[in-house]
Amino acid sequence: PPLLPGEPGEESSLEEQRAAPDAGSPISSFFNGSGTKRLPQAIIIGVKKGGTRALLEFLRVHPDVRAVGAEPHFFDRNYERGLAWYRELMPRTLEGQITMEKTPSYFVTKEAPARISSMSKGTKLIVVVRDPVTRAISDYTQTLSKKPDIPTFESLTFKNRTTGLIDTSWSAIQIGIYAKHLENWLLHFPIGQILFVSGERLITDPAGELGRVQDFLGLKRIITDKHFYFNKTKGFPCLKKAEGSSKPHCLGKTKGRTHPDIDQEVVQRLRDFYRPFNMKFYQMTGQDFGWD
């Protein structure tokens, strides 16, 4: 059965359970610092530049969701610090609330599936995916904003421009081979425990995608159309009221950067490269994301 929010993970040791005395009734826990730090029952595991920040900010509007703001990078970079360190990063939750975090690099980290599964086999996983070609360009655009002197997108894409051989070792290309990464997760988790969110639909129909996410997490459908307005300048939906605020809230300046113009022939080459992987991904997930 899926783990109930607030249950200790099936795999958590006695020491951990002792370290987290039960908060007791909601009222008593309200007075003693409102709640208990728990290991996350749900994690947004990917993908980089897919729309994970938007999803997290939208989800935080829900009163039963408590999430870490920063990316903990526990299951990829900080694993040796141990679960107690990880748990300490979590916000306090009351009975019935879900603890969440997001670290998009988990999806492409070899060790992450086994590590998350050993924390708790019941962890719910969410992957925000986006057209791998636009994702790669977005990834490149982010790097370019930090290091303006990097080579062109075109030159990084090909091992050899004349033969048109694509350099799959470049992380911007590698991350978008979703079918390959997903196979690794399916060795440790049933497909039904992973929700795939369309990064495109998160923009065109945020309430619809959030409906699916709330259902998946077993939450009441509280986040609806009423929460969003479309900001034409940013080209993004924004929240009418952000978590803990009465002011409207759009994602920060680094979100929605304009992409550089990429040679159409290169884009076409990439489309052809990704197509078979995309088709396999659609088959594996039972969802057609319409990237072609």
Side-chain angles (χ1 to χ4, degrees):
L3 236 85
L4 296 169
E7 271 183 20
E10 332 172 43
E11 310 286 323
S12 66
S13 63
L14 278 172
E15 295 86 72
E16 277 167 41
Q17 288 175 34
R18 269 192 219 106
D22 190 72
S25 74
I27 280 299
S28 77
S29 63
F30 178 78
F31 290 114
N32 71 23
S34 64
T36 314
K37 295 188 175 194
R38 298 188 176 93
L39 291 167
Q41 297 93 10
I43 304 177
I44 299 171
I45 58 172
V47 302
K48 184 184 179 195
K49 307 315 301 170
T52 60
R53 173 56 59 191
L55 178 60
L56 190 70
E57 295 306 308
F58 295 167
L59 264 177
R60 291 171 88 168
V61 169
H62 201 293
D64 292 334
V65 170
R66 301 284 283 119
V68 188
E71 297 176 1
H73 282 281
F74 176 63
F75 296 103
D76 56 353
R77 301 181 200 160
N78 292 305
Y79 196 61
E80 48 321 317
R81 296 181 182 226
L83 280 172
W85 174 85
Y86 184 47
R87 179 188 216 133
E88 212 27 63
L89 299 176
M90 299 299 146
R92 295 181 179 276
T93 51
L94 300 173
E95 210 50 57
Q97 290 183 317
I98 292 181
T99 303
M100 290 188 72
E101 70 118 316
K102 79 119 176 156
T103 305
S105 48
Y106 291 165
F107 188 63
V108 299
T109 301
K110 259 291 178 244
E111 303 76 22
R115 288 171 174 178
I116 293 176
S117 168
S118 84
M119 170 181 75
S120 166
K121 289 182 176 53
T123 311
K124 292 181 175 181
L125 308 172
I126 299 174
V127 193
V128 187
V129 286
R130 173 189 189 182
D131 181 325
V133 180
T134 43
R135 198 221 64 82
I137 298 168
S138 177
D139 200 329
Y140 173 79
T141 308
Q142 177 176 345
T143 311
L144 190 61
S145 71
K146 297 177 186 165
K147 308 181 180 167
D149 41 358
I150 55 166
T152 64
F153 181 84
E154 287 81 357
S155 64
L156 290 166
T157 298
F158 298 106
K159 268 203 187 104
N160 181 332
R161 185 69 219 252
T162 16
T163 60
L165 248 186
I166 283 167
D167 188 355
T168 54
S169 70
W170 182 29
S171 74
I173 304 259
Q174 176 66 236
I175 292 171
I177 310 174
Y178 304 142
K180 180 180 149 242
H181 304 299
L182 179 54
E183 282 181 334
N184 195 21
W185 289 88
L186 295 180
L187 300 172
H188 300 271
F189 290 93
I191 191 96
Q193 219 166 297
I194 311 175
L195 181 73
F196 300 91
V197 172
S198 159
E200 285 83 16
R201 281 200 301 268
L202 201 50
I203 294 171
T204 58
D205 179 20
E209 284 300 275
L210 263 290
R212 295 178 59 237
V213 177
Q214 291 170 98
D215 292 351
F216 174 73
L217 293 174
L219 295 166
K220 280 206 221 65
R221 281 202 177 200
I222 287 174
I223 308 167
T224 63
D225 310 357
K226 297 184 196 54
H227 288 88
F228 300 100
Y229 69 95
F230 194 80
N231 180 309
K232 294 210 171 57
T233 324
K234 264 196 120 43
F236 272 170
C238 299
L239 291 165
K240 287 186 185 158
K241 290 187 173 71
E243 182 217 14
S245 151
S246 54
K247 293 194 180 64
H249 173 70
C250 281
L251 296 177
K253 291 188 238 344
T254 65
K255 302 300 179 183
R257 299 185 183 96
T258 33
H259 293 180
D261 277 328
I262 308 295
D263 178 358
Q264 272 319 107
E265 190 213 338
V266 175
V267 172
Q268 198 47 54
R269 269 285 171 57
L270 277 176
R271 296 224 161 274
D272 298 342
F273 165 77
Y274 279 120
R275 190 169 299 108
F277 298 111
N278 289 346
M279 294 306 149
K280 179 158 189 212
F281 184 65
Y282 297 174
Q283 279 183 315
M284 293 170 83
T285 59
Q287 274 171 266
D288 181 336
F289 291 90
W291 294 324
D292 262 327

